[in-house]
Amino acid sequence: GVGPPPPPPPTSITSTKKKWATVNLSEAIQEKGKNAAAGGRTTDIFLVGEHAFVPKPDHGFVGLSNQGATCYMNSLIQTLYMAPIFRKAIFSWRLDEERYGDKRNRIISYQLQRLFGRLLMLEKSCIDTKDLTASFGWTSGEQFAQHDVQELLLVLLDAIEKSFTHDGGENFIDNLFRGNTENFRKCKVCTTQTPSRAENFIDLNLPVRDLQTGPFGSLEECFQSFITPEQMTGENKLECDVCGGKSDGELGIRIKSFPPIAILSLRRFDFDLRTFRRVKLGHYVSFPFEFDPAPYVDGIETGNQVYELLSVLVHAGGAMGGHYYAFIKHIEKDKWFNFDDQNVREITEEEVRSSFGEKEGTPAKPGRRKGTAYMLVYLRRDLARRAAAEDNALVPESLREEIEQENVKWRQKKKEYEVRRDTFQLKVNMVGLEREHLVGVYMHRTVGEALEIIYKAVEEAGKAEGGVLPHNMRLRDYSAATKLAGRVYADLSKTMKDYGFHSMKSVFLETRKEGEDFPKVEEAKVTFGITKFNYSTGALERETRDLAIPENQSVDQLLDRLSEVTSVGKKQLRIFLVRLVDLVPVLVIEEGEWVLNTAGSGGGDGDAAGYRPKEFTVDMTIKEAFDWAEGVKCQLLVEDHELWSEKVRSSADKVQGIMREMEKKKHEIEIQITVDPAARAKVTGPNVAQPFTVVYDDRAPLRDLKAHIGTFLGWEASGFLLCSYGLKSREYRDSEKSLVDCGLFSGASLSVFEGVPLGRNSYKFRIFVESNPKDEKEQQQAKEAEGAAGRGGEEGAQESNDIEAEPPGVNAPLPPPPPPPPMPSSDVVGDDTLLYLGECVLDSQAPVGDLFPVLRTWLAEEHCRDVPFFRIRQKGKRGRMGKIFPVQSSLTGMFKTMRNGLEIAIQPLEKEERLLENQLLLTIETWSPEEWKIVGEKFEVLLNFEATTGDLKKAVQGKVPIPLEFLQVAKCPPIAHPFQIASAPWEIPDDVPLRHSPFYLHNGDTMLLKDTREKNKVDMGKVNFGFAESSLVIQTIYDEIPEDVLAAIAAEEN
């Protein structure tokens, strides 16, 4: 009942990916040691993610993992589990093993019982619900579908009811959840009251607002609205048998009985008739923690049945989706907890109150949308306290044994996981080893145990002689940069964790012969970074070396080491401390004696002369001389004192020169340059068949880098493009930007293409023009005939295959767009015909009004088109015209992001037009429901930006033969299919602004008109649009057709 057995252990655990595996602990450690000993890199194996091995928190509650979008189910399951009376009923159910056998996994009651038992007894902090959803008959698709928790409640309780009643059990669902209501009608004249029908309910769906009076602020107001009768007057009078005719009356509903577990759903999801959209009502609705239903339920006296709030199911998000979690009270502990999928934490009542919603006028807080209470679960206090006081040890014995076995397996896997997690690799260095050797060690091992493991691994790899006893080995710190061994890990009883070891740490394994002593080691605590000034080049060396010096060594030994690593004579050394703003002389020779300057932390004003010499001798220790640098890595600049005195006249000049060099070094980056193959033959400089590297200051402007590259290639900077490297290459055009502002860094790659660079704000736009299809077809045929005559017999001639094909560079023309859409048929209406002309370079920052002469010239010179007056518009989808660009705007303001290849449409006009920014120009077409198509001629109307639907109707009067009282308008859908048009929202009030919901109109958009007197040619009620709202279904085993029945049906058909 706990799943298939674990897979066999893998033959090798050297992997570059994390695996899901169950292996023997000792075998895994041995195998990992072998891999490390062989010099290979190993990766820790994780049985599962670390979250799977988090133990149950102290509060004792377990979370449920989210399978994709099952937060609504997790919230409901946790709520039902925390209801003691429901949990007791689930544990009291017994599985009929003989009846179900192998099919028991499809029994929902059995899986729910297993889940409740695991929530109660498992030792881990989170469990999955896959067995439960499998019993629902759900596939992986259902686990990723969002559903309503109210819908799941009804379907789940119905499925549980089937399970209990089929096995002869008590129908406890009715006893716990079912209440009764009664609909009635009352005549106000004779006061006769007639019950119409009685109904049962699992949950009460309470309204949270009234369309006339507005939103309700409390649960009590919601209840009062629910039971308040509707007044039936005027045309809605009721037929009264006693009065013998119609009379004023009331229609209402009364609650006859309230269940022990009362579930109240707040109707926060509604349909907005103004916008024709589904909306979520997030306003403030308070609810009590104790609830007396007496004022709303017949037959209950005040105080006789008091209910206690058990759970608040919260929805965070909007009308189209969101996230569920639950605030649930533990009855015995009298504490509240937040159950949010796998996370469970204790909360206060104040946090529960935060789910009331936002009060009117409260400013919205940034961040995630706040959740609001959607479903309230109340428990009758007498049953709640009585059930909570009973022993919860009602779990069936067989289930107890199963869960205990699962706990044992989980503890073992947890231990295995922790060993793998805490086993890290050490880089072991040793005398005689050519390179570091990787050895895996468990962090909770003592140093003494680790020594034996490390030496054994090195010995098995054939890298060390055998026979060395443990007391003849010791472990030391090691610096791969300086090749020096450091501190000794002398306390063999301390663990690797105590010493702060980490993965890929370098250590030195030191051995000695029997009877010999280990060499004395001084602790190294001061590390110096060494940079040398090279007088032959007049610049700093690019590499900075680290030098670790034991703090107990003398200054004289430091000077020896500095002389050794820099190849500068000891008496010629001059040493500076490198700070952020200056250089401080720390070791200088004055009159033949060494002088140390004190550089206190944060002291001084940046002037080297401000530091007073400190009396010392070269026999002083590093700790004594550099006490201000303890624990700090000092960056030292070393130079030849004699060369300095020969070439530099003053100390100030020297310091400033070196600082400039160091600042330059800090900003130097290496950039790899690749020349486009098509342009390599034109390079007059060196061979550029392979990429070459340029070292440059990242503070320099892009134009300087281009000039530098141009000099190297023998080109003018204005004759090539500098672009990013890769398939989606883009040109760097802002020559004033620094390299760092262009996003260039050390190691970046650039491509060089031949061509003329675009200006800083210039882009290539694809230009389309509105045209007559017939005329364009004739012109195209004429051009093709002319081209065929000019080619003559040269067609078919091909170049040699030896010539390298020229790849498309950045400056090459953009590929032509896809062919224009087919001419509109009877099913697609309202498409314009747009002809692609080519590319035109335009200034994105210039006003649109300044682009007219540029485009007019381009049309005349490049395409022989005389278009004196036109509009500039964005190209829409499916070949339609998009929004119109006002003359005062710029292309940058009309497009979200600027790039090459954006599309512009030119619409020819008969006369000049200048559209202002506060004007709204709309295209108007007429939809005929009877003819099921667009009819008549389209025209345009010019409105103010603040115009409403009513203003539009008045503006079209006289242009269409539809009286104002029968005129309706709607926005043309993106895909103008007749069914899409017919189903568009037409009934829009006259006061709705055209620039707001549901229109959001821009210049150039198309609006449709229709006459409400016309009837649709197609019955829309019978149309299947190919989509439907997903409904939640739980397929129980009792809903399946038995095999013998299926066989009988098949036999009858045959």
Side-chain angles (χ1 to χ4, degrees):
V2 293
T11 57
S12 172
I13 60 174
T14 55
S15 172
T16 58
K17 295 182 178 180
K18 295 180 181 180
K19 294 183 178 179
W20 292 60
T22 303
V23 296
N24 181 276
L25 181 59
S26 59
E27 291 179 1
I29 296 176
Q30 293 173 7
E31 189 69 29
K32 186 171 184 178
K34 291 178 183 178
N35 289 321
R41 293 182 64 88
T42 63
T43 301
D44 293 342
I45 287 184
F46 291 85
L47 303 178
V48 288
E50 186 171 357
H51 67 274
F53 297 110
V54 177
K56 180 185 291 188
D58 294 337
H59 53 59
F61 299 117
V62 177
L64 297 175
S65 60
N66 193 325
Q67 297 185 46
T70 56
C71 56
Y72 66 99
M73 182 188 73
N74 292 346
S75 301
L76 181 61
I77 293 297
Q78 293 280 23
T79 296
L80 296 176
Y81 169 77
M82 293 293 284
I85 189 171
F86 183 85
R87 185 169 67 243
K88 176 184 176 182
I90 292 296
F91 283 146
S92 67
W93 181 85
R94 292 296 180 266
L95 175 69
D96 188 343
E97 295 279 359
E98 295 183 1
R99 179 177 180 183
Y100 294 108
D102 295 339
K103 293 185 177 181
R104 63 180 182 176
N105 289 334
R106 284 298 317 280
I107 307 300
I108 293 177
S109 297
Y110 171 68
Q111 294 296 352
L112 194 60
Q113 188 182 81
R114 288 184 66 240
L115 182 60
F116 278 15
R118 296 168 78 209
L119 286 171
L120 183 66
M121 298 178 59
L122 270 188
E123 297 176 1
K124 58 183 180 179
S125 66
C126 178
I127 58 179
D128 66 73
T129 55
K130 292 181 179 178
D131 290 343
L132 179 63
T133 54
S135 71
F136 292 171
W138 287 3
T139 62
S140 58
E142 279 291 339
Q143 295 157 10
F144 286 91
Q146 294 192 27
H147 290 292
D148 187 88
V149 70
Q150 181 191 17
E151 183 182 12
L152 175 65
L153 170 73
L154 301 177
V155 175
L156 178 60
L157 293 185
D158 180 65
I160 296 173
E161 183 180 3
K162 289 180 183 178
S163 181
F164 270 70
T165 55
H166 272 77
D167 293 336
E170 180 186 3
N171 185 5
F172 79 100
I173 298 297
D174 273 354
N175 298 335
L176 293 183
F177 295 94
R178 205 171 300 279
N180 302 103
T181 61
E182 181 184 75
N183 295 315
F184 68 89
R185 51 189 296 169
K186 178 181 179 182
C187 177
K188 284 189 174 183
V189 177
C190 63
T191 68
T192 301
Q193 192 172 121
T194 308
S196 57
R197 67 179 184 277
E199 294 181 349
N200 297 327
F201 68 87
I202 294 293
D203 70 317
L204 281 178
N205 199 2
L206 302 178
V208 295
R209 72 169 178 178
D210 184 273
L211 293 178
Q212 304 297 327
T213 61
F216 303 137
S218 66
L219 181 68
E220 291 80 2
E221 291 182 31
C222 299
F223 254 109
Q224 192 61 48
S225 174
F226 181 79
I227 63 173
T228 299
E230 181 181 1
Q231 302 301 314
M232 311 301 291
T233 59
E235 296 181 356
N236 299 320
K237 288 183 178 182
L238 298 176
E239 191 75 35
C240 179
D241 296 335
V242 177
C243 297
K246 289 187 174 183
S247 57
D248 292 345
E250 295 178 344
L251 282 179
I253 185 172
R254 60 171 62 95
I255 303 173
K256 302 295 291 182
S257 65
F258 221 50
I261 301 178
I263 301 177
L264 311 176
S265 296
L266 302 179
R267 201 183 302 161
R268 286 195 177 271
F269 297 100
D270 209 342
F271 189 77
D272 192 333
L273 295 176
R274 283 177 55 85
T275 62
F276 289 88
R277 294 185 180 187
R278 193 177 186 223
V279 295
K280 180 184 176 183
L281 307 176
H283 64 267
Y284 183 91
V285 179
S286 65
F287 47 82
F289 286 79
E290 290 185 354
F291 175 65
D292 188 349
Y296 318 107
V297 181
D298 290 354
I300 297 180
E301 295 183 4
T302 302
N304 281 0
Q305 293 187 13
V306 178
Y307 284 73
E308 192 170 351
L309 183 62
L310 171 71
S311 175
V312 181
L313 279 76
V314 182
H315 180 269
M320 305 310 295
H323 177 65
Y324 283 99
Y325 53 93
F327 298 149
I328 307 178
K329 183 179 182 180
H330 187 272
I331 300 297
E332 281 187 302
K333 296 181 179 180
D334 200 27
K335 293 181 179 179
W336 283 91
F337 295 87
N338 181 351
F339 290 78
D340 190 352
D341 289 336
Q342 69 270 20
N343 302 311
V344 183
R345 61 180 177 87
E346 185 177 348
I347 60 174
T348 63
E349 285 192 0
E350 189 60 34
E351 188 166 346
V352 179
R353 291 189 180 93
S354 69
S355 65
F356 288 173
E358 296 290 349
K359 290 186 177 181
E360 187 176 356
T362 303
K365 297 180 181 179
R368 185 177 175 179
R369 186 177 299 180
K370 203 173 188 180
T372 50
Y374 177 56
M375 182 181 288
L376 308 174
V377 180
Y378 283 90
L379 206 57
R380 208 168 70 201
R381 177 179 292 175
D382 56 335
L383 294 177
R385 296 296 175 180
R386 187 166 69 244
E390 295 175 359
D391 185 12
N392 280 329
L394 298 174
V395 183
E397 187 63 28
S398 59
L399 182 55
R400 281 181 166 274
E401 294 175 359
E402 176 188 329
I403 296 173
E404 186 53 41
Q405 291 176 6
E406 189 173 350
N407 280 332
V408 171
K409 290 181 180 179
W410 178 78
R411 287 193 291 266
Q412 176 65 16
K413 289 182 179 180
K414 180 174 180 287
K415 181 62 178 176
E416 293 174 358
Y417 166 77
E418 289 173 346
V419 170
R420 284 158 178 77
R421 181 195 62 193
D422 298 338
T423 299
F424 48 71
Q425 307 262 334
L426 293 180
K427 295 180 179 179
V428 178
N429 296 268
M430 189 178 178
V431 174
L433 285 181
E434 295 181 358
R435 62 187 181 90
E436 295 175 322
H437 189 73
L438 296 181
V439 179
V441 180
Y442 184 46
M443 68 183 298
H444 296 289
R445 297 274 191 190
T446 64
V447 174
E449 294 171 335
L451 270 171
E452 297 185 42
I453 294 173
I454 292 171
Y455 188 80
K456 184 177 180 182
V458 176
E459 182 184 5
E460 289 179 354
K463 307 294 184 181
E465 298 179 0
V468 180
L469 298 177
H471 66 273
N472 289 327
M473 297 181 289
R474 70 179 181 181
L475 201 61
R476 298 178 61 181
D477 198 4
Y478 186 78
S479 171
T482 61
K483 308 297 183 184
L484 293 176
R487 64 182 295 192
V488 176
Y489 299 103
D491 191 344
L492 301 183
S493 62
K494 278 189 175 183
T495 66
M496 311 294 281
K497 183 178 181 180
D498 293 337
Y499 270 119
F501 275 64
H502 56 81
S503 186
M504 306 309 290
K505 177 179 175 61
S506 293
V507 295
F508 187 81
L509 180 62
E510 190 174 29
T511 62
R512 67 180 179 183
K513 293 182 180 180
E514 189 69 36
E516 292 184 354
D517 293 332
F518 285 112
K520 188 177 180 181
V521 177
E522 301 292 342
E523 295 291 332
K525 289 189 176 179
V526 180
T527 302
F528 297 95
I530 310 300
T531 304
K532 182 182 176 183
F533 185 81
N534 191 328
Y535 276 95
S536 62
T537 61
L540 299 169
E541 292 184 349
R542 293 189 60 79
E543 292 187 5
T544 297
R545 286 153 289 186
D546 286 350
L547 180 62
I549 303 294
E551 63 178 13
N552 291 328
Q553 285 193 4
S554 66
V555 174
D556 192 56
Q557 290 173 304
L558 167 63
L559 296 172
D560 288 335
R561 291 289 294 142
L562 290 175
S563 177
E564 177 185 343
V565 299
T566 61
S567 301
V568 177
K570 185 176 180 180
K571 289 294 185 180
Q572 298 170 221
L573 286 171
R574 180 173 290 269
I575 305 166
F576 290 86
L577 172 68
V578 179
R579 305 199 312 176
L580 292 178
V581 296
D582 58 12
L583 297 175
V584 178
V586 289
L587 281 170
V588 297
I589 293 180
E590 294 183 2
E591 298 180 359
E593 296 293 335
W594 285 99
V595 177
L596 174 71
N597 276 11
T598 303
S601 60
D605 56 0
D607 184 359
Y611 293 90
R612 293 194 297 266
K614 173 180 179 179
E615 293 184 5
F616 84 109
T617 66
V618 292
D619 296 328
M620 292 178 65
T621 64
I622 298 294
K623 183 176 182 179
E624 293 171 338
F626 292 88
D627 55 351
W628 46 268
E630 184 175 357
V632 178
K633 181 177 179 180
C634 304
Q635 297 290 340
L636 299 182
L637 174 69
V638 177
E639 61 162 8
D640 191 325
H641 174 57
E642 291 185 357
L643 293 176
W644 173 40
S645 59
E646 292 175 4
K647 297 193 175 185
V648 182
R649 288 176 296 180
S650 69
S651 174
D653 293 339
K654 179 61 184 175
V655 171
Q656 292 176 6
I658 293 178
M659 284 302 298
R660 284 194 298 270
E661 288 296 328
M662 296 201 70
E663 184 72 10
K664 179 180 177 182
K665 176 187 174 184
K666 183 174 69 174
H667 288 281
E668 282 181 351
I669 59 174
E670 294 183 356
I671 304 174
Q672 182 173 281
I673 308 297
T674 302
V675 179
D676 180 38
R680 288 173 185 171
K682 301 179 182 180
V683 175
T684 59
N687 181 20
V688 291
Q690 299 297 327
F692 59 91
T693 300
V694 172
V695 178
Y696 219 74
D697 192 320
D698 66 1
R699 297 168 297 178
L702 187 67
R703 67 170 183 273
D704 290 355
L705 177 62
K706 284 196 67 176
H708 179 75
I709 296 174
T711 302
F712 182 79
L713 298 176
W715 289 354
E716 293 291 335
S718 59
F720 67 93
L721 311 177
L722 200 58
C723 308
S724 60
Y725 182 82
L727 294 176
K728 295 184 177 180
S729 184
R730 62 182 180 85
E731 181 187 356
Y732 291 99
R733 296 183 298 168
D734 193 343
S735 59
E736 300 303 320
K737 269 189 177 182
S738 66
L739 302 188
V740 67
D741 289 338
C742 290
L744 298 178
F745 52 89
S746 192
S749 296
L750 296 177
S751 296
V752 172
F753 295 92
E754 186 182 12
V756 179
L758 295 176
R760 179 177 179 181
N761 299 318
S762 298
Y763 294 89
K764 293 179 181 178
F765 290 86
R766 299 180 189 270
I767 307 299
F768 294 77
V769 65
E770 186 182 36
S771 62
N772 185 310
K774 181 178 179 181
D775 294 343
E776 297 297 340
K777 185 176 180 181
E778 292 175 354
Q779 292 179 17
Q780 183 66 21
Q781 290 174 350
K783 287 183 180 180
E784 290 177 357
E786 181 181 352
R791 288 193 298 269
E794 296 181 3
E795 247 183 75
Q798 296 181 356
E799 295 182 0
S800 169
N801 292 333
D802 295 334
I803 299 177
E804 184 178 13
E806 179 177 341
V810 174
N811 202 35
L814 294 168
M823 290 299 295
S825 64
S826 59
D827 290 335
V828 180
V829 296
D831 279 355
D832 302 313
T833 302
L834 296 179
L835 176 68
Y836 174 66
L837 296 182
E839 297 168 358
C840 180
V841 177
L842 299 174
D843 187 346
S844 63
Q845 296 287 351
V848 171
D850 295 347
L851 302 180
F852 283 90
V854 177
L855 287 170
R856 191 177 293 112
T857 302
W858 181 80
L859 288 169
E861 295 180 355
E862 299 291 333
H863 300 279
C864 301
R865 288 176 177 266
D866 183 16
V867 187
F869 309 115
F870 56 87
R871 291 190 187 123
I872 301 177
R873 306 180 65 162
Q874 187 175 9
K875 180 181 175 293
K877 297 179 180 179
R878 296 177 62 88
R880 296 178 65 88
M881 289 285 190
K883 59 185 177 183
I884 300 173
F885 297 158
V887 293
Q888 299 91 343
S889 65
S890 66
L891 296 179
T892 303
M894 301 309 296
F895 290 98
K896 292 182 179 179
T897 55
M898 296 307 302
R899 56 179 174 81
N900 288 325
L902 293 174
E903 297 177 334
I904 289 178
I906 292 176
Q907 182 183 16
L909 299 174
E910 295 182 357
K911 59 181 180 179
E912 186 177 5
E913 174 190 77
R914 294 284 176 171
L915 187 63
L916 303 178
E917 286 189 340
N918 62 347
Q919 292 178 321
L920 184 64
L921 183 68
L922 302 176
T923 300
I924 308 298
E925 298 186 74
T926 303
W927 164 253
S928 173
E930 290 182 349
E931 299 186 38
W932 202 244
K933 65 179 182 179
I934 298 289
V935 297
E937 296 291 333
K938 64 180 179 181
F939 58 93
E940 296 175 342
V941 294
L942 189 63
L943 301 170
N944 188 280
F945 248 33
E946 303 301 324
T948 63
T949 308
D951 296 332
L952 174 59
K953 291 180 179 179
K954 294 176 182 177
V956 300
Q957 285 297 298
K959 298 183 180 180
V960 291
I962 306 175
L964 186 61
E965 61 269 23
F966 300 112
L967 180 63
Q968 286 186 343
V969 298
K971 184 178 180 180
C972 184
I975 301 177
H977 191 281
F979 286 110
Q980 296 287 347
I981 295 175
S983 59
W986 288 92
E987 298 179 0
I988 308 295
D990 287 349
D991 59 344
V992 175
L994 297 176
R995 294 274 298 168
H996 299 86
S997 174
F999 298 117
Y1000 299 107
L1001 294 181
H1002 296 89
N1003 278 312
D1005 284 343
T1006 300
M1007 290 292 287
L1008 301 175
L1009 313 176
K1010 83 167 183 178
D1011 191 334
T1012 57
R1013 295 172 296 183
E1014 294 188 16
K1015 303 299 180 183
N1016 277 330
K1017 179 180 179 181
V1018 177
D1019 186 357
M1020 297 297 292
K1022 298 180 180 180
V1023 176
N1024 180 10
F1025 289 98
F1027 60 88
E1029 187 172 333
S1030 174
S1031 60
L1032 188 149
V1033 176
I1034 292 180
Q1035 184 77 16
T1036 70
I1037 192 174
Y1038 312 108
D1039 299 322
E1040 298 176 353
I1041 302 177
E1043 294 181 1
D1044 56 342
V1045 176
L1046 290 174
I1049 294 174
E1052 183 178 345
E1053 290 179 350
N1054 292 333

